[in-house]
Amino acid sequence: MRISPFIATALLSTLILTGCGASSDGGATDTDSYNKCLELEAAKLLDETGSNLDYANEKAAEICAQ
């Protein structure tokens, strides 16, 4: 199975933008959970709809803000 360059770039961009390290206090914070929500929802949208990264991030932000 070959991953398209677009999908790979989109997922890497999402990881870079949301961060993938632990918080400095050692526990999960609201920001950490929000970032994880953004990452997961954007990945789902990219996978399900084949949409572009900007659209997926925008829709993920709407979903996670609720």
Side-chain angles (χ1 to χ4, degrees), residues 18-61:
T18 59
C20 33
S23 64
S24 60
D25 65 358
T29 62
D30 289 337
T31 304
D32 291 337
S33 59
Y34 179 75
N35 286 341
K36 189 66 173 173
C37 176
L38 286 176
E39 181 181 332
L40 292 173
E41 292 299 327
K44 281 190 227 174
L45 286 164
L46 286 169
D47 188 41
E48 293 171 1
T49 64
S51 59
N52 68 34
L53 182 59
D54 292 333
Y55 175 81
N57 284 336
E58 180 183 331
K59 290 298 178 184

mmCIF file of all heavy atoms in Angstrom, residues 18-61:
data_model
loop_
_atom_site.group_PDB
_atom_site.id
_atom_site.type_symbol
_atom_site.label_atom_id
_atom_site.label_comp_id
_atom_site.label_asym_id
_atom_site.label_seq_id
_atom_site.Cartn_x
_atom_site.Cartn_y
_atom_site.Cartn_z
ATOM 1 N N THR A 18 0.072 21.017 15.562
ATOM 2 C CA THR A 18 -0.575 20.759 16.847
ATOM 3 C C THR A 18 0.418 20.334 17.917
ATOM 4 O O THR A 18 0.088 20.349 19.091
ATOM 5 C CB THR A 18 -1.656 19.674 16.718
ATOM 6 O OG1 THR A 18 -1.070 18.477 16.234
ATOM 7 C CG2 THR A 18 -2.762 20.131 15.799
ATOM 8 N N GLY A 19 1.614 19.956 17.537
ATOM 9 C CA GLY A 19 2.610 19.524 18.493
ATOM 10 C C GLY A 19 2.401 18.086 18.900
ATOM 11 O O GLY A 19 1.293 17.571 18.861
ATOM 12 N N CYS A 20 3.493 17.423 19.254
ATOM 13 C CA CYS A 20 3.339 16.022 19.642
ATOM 14 C C CYS A 20 4.140 15.694 20.892
ATOM 15 O O CYS A 20 4.481 14.564 21.129
ATOM 16 C CB CYS A 20 3.693 15.081 18.489
ATOM 17 S SG CYS A 20 4.973 15.602 17.385
ATOM 18 N N GLY A 21 4.419 16.665 21.727
ATOM 19 C CA GLY A 21 5.148 16.411 22.962
ATOM 20 C C GLY A 21 4.222 16.460 24.156
ATOM 21 O O GLY A 21 3.080 16.907 24.073
ATOM 22 N N ALA A 22 4.726 16.000 25.275
ATOM 23 C CA ALA A 22 3.952 16.045 26.515
ATOM 24 C C ALA A 22 3.992 17.458 27.073
ATOM 25 O O ALA A 22 4.897 18.229 26.795
ATOM 26 C CB ALA A 22 4.546 15.071 27.535
ATOM 27 N N SER A 23 3.001 17.802 27.852
ATOM 28 C CA SER A 23 2.987 19.123 28.457
ATOM 29 C C SER A 23 4.056 19.209 29.542
ATOM 30 O O SER A 23 4.483 18.209 30.109
ATOM 31 C CB SER A 23 1.606 19.420 29.039
ATOM 32 O OG SER A 23 1.319 18.523 30.079
ATOM 33 N N SER A 24 4.475 20.425 29.836
ATOM 34 C CA SER A 24 5.558 20.616 30.792
ATOM 35 C C SER A 24 5.169 20.216 32.211
ATOM 36 O O SER A 24 6.028 19.906 33.026
ATOM 37 C CB SER A 24 6.026 22.070 30.776
ATOM 38 O OG SER A 24 4.961 22.927 31.124
ATOM 39 N N ASP A 25 3.872 20.218 32.523
ATOM 40 C CA ASP A 25 3.452 19.841 33.868
ATOM 41 C C ASP A 25 3.264 18.339 34.025
ATOM 42 O O ASP A 25 2.939 17.864 35.102
ATOM 43 C CB ASP A 25 2.183 20.594 34.270
ATOM 44 C CG ASP A 25 0.976 20.229 33.411
ATOM 45 O OD1 ASP A 25 1.122 19.417 32.470
ATOM 46 O OD2 ASP A 25 -0.114 20.759 33.696
ATOM 47 N N GLY A 26 3.492 17.580 32.954
ATOM 48 C CA GLY A 26 3.427 16.131 33.042
ATOM 49 C C GLY A 26 2.039 15.548 32.911
ATOM 50 O O GLY A 26 1.880 14.344 32.805
ATOM 51 N N GLY A 27 1.001 16.377 32.892
ATOM 52 C CA GLY A 27 -0.363 15.874 32.774
ATOM 53 C C GLY A 27 -1.054 16.464 31.571
ATOM 54 O O GLY A 27 -0.579 17.404 30.952
ATOM 55 N N ALA A 28 -2.193 15.905 31.250
ATOM 56 C CA ALA A 28 -2.962 16.414 30.118
ATOM 57 C C ALA A 28 -3.675 17.696 30.531
ATOM 58 O O ALA A 28 -4.175 17.821 31.639
ATOM 59 C CB ALA A 28 -3.965 15.369 29.666
ATOM 60 N N THR A 29 -3.703 18.651 29.639
ATOM 61 C CA THR A 29 -4.405 19.906 29.896
ATOM 62 C C THR A 29 -5.512 20.059 28.872
ATOM 63 O O THR A 29 -5.631 19.275 27.940
ATOM 64 C CB THR A 29 -3.447 21.108 29.782
ATOM 65 O OG1 THR A 29 -2.953 21.163 28.436
ATOM 66 C CG2 THR A 29 -2.280 20.986 30.745
ATOM 67 N N ASP A 30 -6.317 21.094 29.043
ATOM 68 C CA ASP A 30 -7.373 21.359 28.076
ATOM 69 C C ASP A 30 -6.785 21.631 26.700
ATOM 70 O O ASP A 30 -7.342 21.201 25.694
ATOM 71 C CB ASP A 30 -8.223 22.543 28.526
ATOM 72 C CG ASP A 30 -9.086 22.213 29.726
ATOM 73 O OD1 ASP A 30 -9.377 21.016 29.938
ATOM 74 O OD2 ASP A 30 -9.466 23.142 30.447
ATOM 75 N N THR A 31 -5.667 22.335 26.647
ATOM 76 C CA THR A 31 -5.016 22.628 25.375
ATOM 77 C C THR A 31 -4.546 21.349 24.708
ATOM 78 O O THR A 31 -4.696 21.184 23.498
ATOM 79 C CB THR A 31 -3.817 23.578 25.584
ATOM 80 O OG1 THR A 31 -4.278 24.756 26.239
ATOM 81 C CG2 THR A 31 -3.169 23.956 24.272
ATOM 82 N N ASP A 32 -3.990 20.434 25.487
ATOM 83 C CA ASP A 32 -3.532 19.157 24.934
ATOM 84 C C ASP A 32 -4.695 18.369 24.341
ATOM 85 O O ASP A 32 -4.591 17.819 23.249
ATOM 86 C CB ASP A 32 -2.834 18.303 25.997
ATOM 87 C CG ASP A 32 -1.500 18.883 26.428
ATOM 88 O OD1 ASP A 32 -0.900 19.652 25.653
ATOM 89 O OD2 ASP A 32 -1.069 18.554 27.543
ATOM 90 N N SER A 33 -5.803 18.308 25.062
ATOM 91 C CA SER A 33 -6.941 17.545 24.566
ATOM 92 C C SER A 33 -7.557 18.221 23.344
ATOM 93 O O SER A 33 -7.997 17.543 22.414
ATOM 94 C CB SER A 33 -7.979 17.321 25.655
ATOM 95 O OG SER A 33 -8.454 18.546 26.153
ATOM 96 N N TYR A 34 -7.575 19.560 23.319
ATOM 97 C CA TYR A 34 -8.088 20.280 22.153
ATOM 98 C C TYR A 34 -7.200 20.022 20.940
ATOM 99 O O TYR A 34 -7.692 19.760 19.846
ATOM 100 C CB TYR A 34 -8.164 21.774 22.455
ATOM 101 C CG TYR A 34 -8.659 22.599 21.290
ATOM 102 C CD1 TYR A 34 -10.008 22.604 20.949
ATOM 103 C CD2 TYR A 34 -7.789 23.365 20.523
ATOM 104 C CE1 TYR A 34 -10.484 23.347 19.884
ATOM 105 C CE2 TYR A 34 -8.251 24.108 19.450
ATOM 106 C CZ TYR A 34 -9.595 24.108 19.135
ATOM 107 O OH TYR A 34 -10.056 24.833 18.069
ATOM 108 N N ASN A 35 -5.889 20.082 21.126
ATOM 109 C CA ASN A 35 -4.960 19.811 20.021
ATOM 110 C C ASN A 35 -5.111 18.378 19.514
ATOM 111 O O ASN A 35 -5.060 18.132 18.309
ATOM 112 C CB ASN A 35 -3.513 20.072 20.448
ATOM 113 C CG ASN A 35 -3.204 21.542 20.563
ATOM 114 O OD1 ASN A 35 -3.909 22.378 20.011
ATOM 115 N ND2 ASN A 35 -2.159 21.867 21.290
ATOM 116 N N LYS A 36 -5.297 17.440 20.417
ATOM 117 C CA LYS A 36 -5.491 16.048 20.014
ATOM 118 C C LYS A 36 -6.799 15.903 19.234
ATOM 119 O O LYS A 36 -6.845 15.192 18.231
ATOM 120 C CB LYS A 36 -5.498 15.145 21.257
ATOM 121 C CG LYS A 36 -5.482 13.690 20.940
ATOM 122 C CD LYS A 36 -4.186 13.289 20.286
ATOM 123 C CE LYS A 36 -4.111 11.791 20.133
ATOM 124 N NZ LYS A 36 -2.960 11.377 19.372
ATOM 125 N N CYS A 37 -7.830 16.604 19.682
ATOM 126 C CA CYS A 37 -9.102 16.591 18.967
ATOM 127 C C CYS A 37 -8.917 17.145 17.559
ATOM 128 O O CYS A 37 -9.389 16.557 16.587
ATOM 129 C CB CYS A 37 -10.142 17.419 19.726
ATOM 130 S SG CYS A 37 -11.735 17.557 18.879
ATOM 131 N N LEU A 38 -8.216 18.272 17.432
ATOM 132 C CA LEU A 38 -7.962 18.851 16.113
ATOM 133 C C LEU A 38 -7.232 17.870 15.207
ATOM 134 O O LEU A 38 -7.585 17.700 14.040
ATOM 135 C CB LEU A 38 -7.129 20.128 16.239
ATOM 136 C CG LEU A 38 -7.817 21.371 16.753
ATOM 137 C CD1 LEU A 38 -6.806 22.498 16.907
ATOM 138 C CD2 LEU A 38 -8.951 21.789 15.841
ATOM 139 N N GLU A 39 -6.216 17.242 15.753
ATOM 140 C CA GLU A 39 -5.413 16.291 14.973
ATOM 141 C C GLU A 39 -6.267 15.119 14.482
ATOM 142 O O GLU A 39 -6.225 14.765 13.299
ATOM 143 C CB GLU A 39 -4.273 15.784 15.847
ATOM 144 C CG GLU A 39 -3.353 14.816 15.178
ATOM 145 C CD GLU A 39 -2.259 14.330 16.116
ATOM 146 O OE1 GLU A 39 -1.878 15.059 17.049
ATOM 147 O OE2 GLU A 39 -1.798 13.207 15.904
ATOM 148 N N LEU A 40 -7.047 14.539 15.375
ATOM 149 C CA LEU A 40 -7.863 13.383 15.010
ATOM 150 C C LEU A 40 -8.974 13.734 14.020
ATOM 151 O O LEU A 40 -9.191 13.023 13.036
ATOM 152 C CB LEU A 40 -8.474 12.744 16.261
ATOM 153 C CG LEU A 40 -7.495 12.060 17.201
ATOM 154 C CD1 LEU A 40 -8.200 11.622 18.480
ATOM 155 C CD2 LEU A 40 -6.844 10.879 16.524
ATOM 156 N N GLU A 41 -9.663 14.846 14.270
ATOM 157 C CA GLU A 41 -10.764 15.231 13.393
ATOM 158 C C GLU A 41 -10.263 15.622 12.006
ATOM 159 O O GLU A 41 -10.873 15.271 10.999
ATOM 160 C CB GLU A 41 -11.579 16.376 14.011
ATOM 161 C CG GLU A 41 -12.356 15.976 15.246
ATOM 162 C CD GLU A 41 -13.372 14.876 14.991
ATOM 163 O OE1 GLU A 41 -13.952 14.807 13.895
ATOM 164 O OE2 GLU A 41 -13.598 14.072 15.906
ATOM 165 N N ALA A 42 -9.136 16.333 11.935
ATOM 166 C CA ALA A 42 -8.577 16.710 10.635
ATOM 167 C C ALA A 42 -8.150 15.468 9.865
ATOM 168 O O ALA A 42 -8.390 15.355 8.659
ATOM 169 C CB ALA A 42 -7.403 17.664 10.811
ATOM 170 N N ALA A 43 -7.553 14.519 10.561
ATOM 171 C CA ALA A 43 -7.136 13.278 9.900
ATOM 172 C C ALA A 43 -8.349 12.509 9.376
ATOM 173 O O ALA A 43 -8.325 11.977 8.270
ATOM 174 C CB ALA A 43 -6.328 12.412 10.858
ATOM 175 N N LYS A 44 -9.436 12.474 10.169
ATOM 176 C CA LYS A 44 -10.654 11.798 9.727
ATOM 177 C C LYS A 44 -11.226 12.461 8.472
ATOM 178 O O LYS A 44 -11.614 11.789 7.530
ATOM 179 C CB LYS A 44 -11.722 11.836 10.823
ATOM 180 C CG LYS A 44 -11.544 10.830 11.915
ATOM 181 C CD LYS A 44 -12.798 10.848 12.772
ATOM 182 C CE LYS A 44 -12.458 10.903 14.222
ATOM 183 N NZ LYS A 44 -13.634 11.054 15.079
ATOM 184 N N LEU A 45 -11.296 13.793 8.499
ATOM 185 C CA LEU A 45 -11.836 14.514 7.350
ATOM 186 C C LEU A 45 -10.986 14.302 6.107
ATOM 187 O O LEU A 45 -11.505 14.125 5.009
ATOM 188 C CB LEU A 45 -11.945 16.006 7.660
ATOM 189 C CG LEU A 45 -13.074 16.390 8.608
ATOM 190 C CD1 LEU A 45 -12.867 17.787 9.151
ATOM 191 C CD2 LEU A 45 -14.411 16.290 7.898
ATOM 192 N N LEU A 46 -9.679 14.325 6.265
ATOM 193 C CA LEU A 46 -8.798 14.103 5.118
ATOM 194 C C LEU A 46 -8.987 12.702 4.572
ATOM 195 O O LEU A 46 -9.015 12.491 3.361
ATOM 196 C CB LEU A 46 -7.339 14.320 5.508
ATOM 197 C CG LEU A 46 -6.917 15.767 5.696
ATOM 198 C CD1 LEU A 46 -5.535 15.838 6.329
ATOM 199 C CD2 LEU A 46 -6.940 16.511 4.381
ATOM 200 N N ASP A 47 -9.136 11.742 5.461
ATOM 201 C CA ASP A 47 -9.296 10.356 5.043
ATOM 202 C C ASP A 47 -10.654 10.119 4.391
ATOM 203 O O ASP A 47 -10.754 9.464 3.362
ATOM 204 C CB ASP A 47 -9.118 9.433 6.250
ATOM 205 C CG ASP A 47 -9.089 7.971 5.858
ATOM 206 O OD1 ASP A 47 -8.464 7.646 4.838
ATOM 207 O OD2 ASP A 47 -9.690 7.150 6.580
ATOM 208 N N GLU A 48 -11.707 10.652 4.986
ATOM 209 C CA GLU A 48 -13.067 10.391 4.513
ATOM 210 C C GLU A 48 -13.431 11.189 3.267
ATOM 211 O O GLU A 48 -14.114 10.691 2.390
ATOM 212 C CB GLU A 48 -14.078 10.708 5.620
ATOM 213 C CG GLU A 48 -13.991 9.767 6.803
ATOM 214 C CD GLU A 48 -14.847 10.218 7.969
ATOM 215 O OE1 GLU A 48 -15.527 11.257 7.870
ATOM 216 O OE2 GLU A 48 -14.824 9.528 9.004
ATOM 217 N N THR A 49 -13.005 12.435 3.200
ATOM 218 C CA THR A 49 -13.470 13.303 2.116
ATOM 219 C C THR A 49 -12.393 13.598 1.080
ATOM 220 O O THR A 49 -12.719 14.089 0.006
ATOM 221 C CB THR A 49 -13.972 14.648 2.673
ATOM 222 O OG1 THR A 49 -12.886 15.340 3.277
ATOM 223 C CG2 THR A 49 -15.089 14.449 3.675
ATOM 224 N N GLY A 50 -11.145 13.367 1.409
ATOM 225 C CA GLY A 50 -10.068 13.709 0.482
ATOM 226 C C GLY A 50 -9.938 15.209 0.313
ATOM 227 O O GLY A 50 -9.422 15.684 -0.690
ATOM 228 N N SER A 51 -10.410 15.968 1.290
ATOM 229 C CA SER A 51 -10.375 17.424 1.199
ATOM 230 C C SER A 51 -8.960 17.941 1.426
ATOM 231 O O SER A 51 -8.060 17.198 1.794
ATOM 232 C CB SER A 51 -11.324 18.022 2.241
ATOM 233 O OG SER A 51 -10.939 17.619 3.525
ATOM 234 N N ASN A 52 -8.776 19.239 1.223
ATOM 235 C CA ASN A 52 -7.448 19.805 1.443
ATOM 236 C C ASN A 52 -7.217 20.080 2.929
ATOM 237 O O ASN A 52 -8.154 20.094 3.728
ATOM 238 C CB ASN A 52 -7.224 21.049 0.579
ATOM 239 C CG ASN A 52 -8.091 22.223 0.971
ATOM 240 O OD1 ASN A 52 -8.396 22.424 2.141
ATOM 241 N ND2 ASN A 52 -8.497 23.008 -0.005
ATOM 242 N N LEU A 53 -5.979 20.313 3.287
ATOM 243 C CA LEU A 53 -5.600 20.467 4.692
ATOM 244 C C LEU A 53 -6.252 21.683 5.337
ATOM 245 O O LEU A 53 -6.717 21.607 6.469
ATOM 246 C CB LEU A 53 -4.079 20.545 4.821
ATOM 247 C CG LEU A 53 -3.522 20.665 6.227
ATOM 248 C CD1 LEU A 53 -3.946 19.471 7.071
ATOM 249 C CD2 LEU A 53 -2.016 20.778 6.205
ATOM 250 N N ASP A 54 -6.309 22.806 4.633
ATOM 251 C CA ASP A 54 -6.917 24.009 5.203
ATOM 252 C C ASP A 54 -8.385 23.778 5.552
ATOM 253 O O ASP A 54 -8.850 24.152 6.620
ATOM 254 C CB ASP A 54 -6.798 25.189 4.242
ATOM 255 C CG ASP A 54 -5.368 25.653 4.073
ATOM 256 O OD1 ASP A 54 -4.561 25.455 5.011
ATOM 257 O OD2 ASP A 54 -5.055 26.208 3.003
ATOM 258 N N TYR A 55 -9.123 23.162 4.627
ATOM 259 C CA TYR A 55 -10.540 22.872 4.866
ATOM 260 C C TYR A 55 -10.694 21.909 6.042
ATOM 261 O O TYR A 55 -11.535 22.121 6.922
ATOM 262 C CB TYR A 55 -11.176 22.287 3.607
ATOM 263 C CG TYR A 55 -12.606 21.861 3.802
ATOM 264 C CD1 TYR A 55 -13.638 22.799 3.766
ATOM 265 C CD2 TYR A 55 -12.934 20.528 4.041
ATOM 266 C CE1 TYR A 55 -14.958 22.417 3.962
ATOM 267 C CE2 TYR A 55 -14.247 20.140 4.225
ATOM 268 C CZ TYR A 55 -15.256 21.094 4.188
ATOM 269 O OH TYR A 55 -16.558 20.700 4.395
ATOM 270 N N ALA A 56 -9.872 20.868 6.073
ATOM 271 C CA ALA A 56 -9.962 19.872 7.147
ATOM 272 C C ALA A 56 -9.660 20.504 8.500
ATOM 273 O O ALA A 56 -10.361 20.231 9.478
ATOM 274 C CB ALA A 56 -9.010 18.716 6.875
ATOM 275 N N ASN A 57 -8.648 21.363 8.560
ATOM 276 C CA ASN A 57 -8.311 22.022 9.823
ATOM 277 C C ASN A 57 -9.425 22.968 10.264
ATOM 278 O O ASN A 57 -9.738 23.061 11.452
ATOM 279 C CB ASN A 57 -6.992 22.776 9.696
ATOM 280 C CG ASN A 57 -5.802 21.854 9.731
ATOM 281 O OD1 ASN A 57 -5.865 20.753 10.261
ATOM 282 N ND2 ASN A 57 -4.706 22.291 9.149
ATOM 283 N N GLU A 58 -10.035 23.674 9.304
ATOM 284 C CA GLU A 58 -11.128 24.588 9.628
ATOM 285 C C GLU A 58 -12.331 23.827 10.190
ATOM 286 O O GLU A 58 -12.895 24.209 11.217
ATOM 287 C CB GLU A 58 -11.539 25.355 8.375
ATOM 288 C CG GLU A 58 -12.670 26.342 8.598
ATOM 289 C CD GLU A 58 -13.083 27.035 7.310
ATOM 290 O OE1 GLU A 58 -12.234 27.204 6.411
ATOM 291 O OE2 GLU A 58 -14.274 27.387 7.201
ATOM 292 N N LYS A 59 -12.713 22.741 9.545
ATOM 293 C CA LYS A 59 -13.844 21.949 10.006
ATOM 294 C C LYS A 59 -13.537 21.274 11.340
ATOM 295 O O LYS A 59 -14.404 21.152 12.205
ATOM 296 C CB LYS A 59 -14.258 20.921 8.961
ATOM 297 C CG LYS A 59 -14.883 21.527 7.742
ATOM 298 C CD LYS A 59 -16.158 22.256 8.121
ATOM 299 C CE LYS A 59 -16.805 22.923 6.949
ATOM 300 N NZ LYS A 59 -17.976 23.706 7.323
ATOM 301 N N ALA A 60 -12.297 20.817 11.516
ATOM 302 C CA ALA A 60 -11.901 20.195 12.783
ATOM 303 C C ALA A 60 -12.005 21.192 13.921
ATOM 304 O O ALA A 60 -12.455 20.850 15.022
ATOM 305 C CB ALA A 60 -10.492 19.633 12.674
ATOM 306 N N ALA A 61 -11.620 22.434 13.676
ATOM 307 C CA ALA A 61 -11.718 23.479 14.704
ATOM 308 C C ALA A 61 -13.178 23.712 15.088
ATOM 309 O O ALA A 61 -13.490 23.895 16.268
ATOM 310 C CB ALA A 61 -11.078 24.765 14.203
#
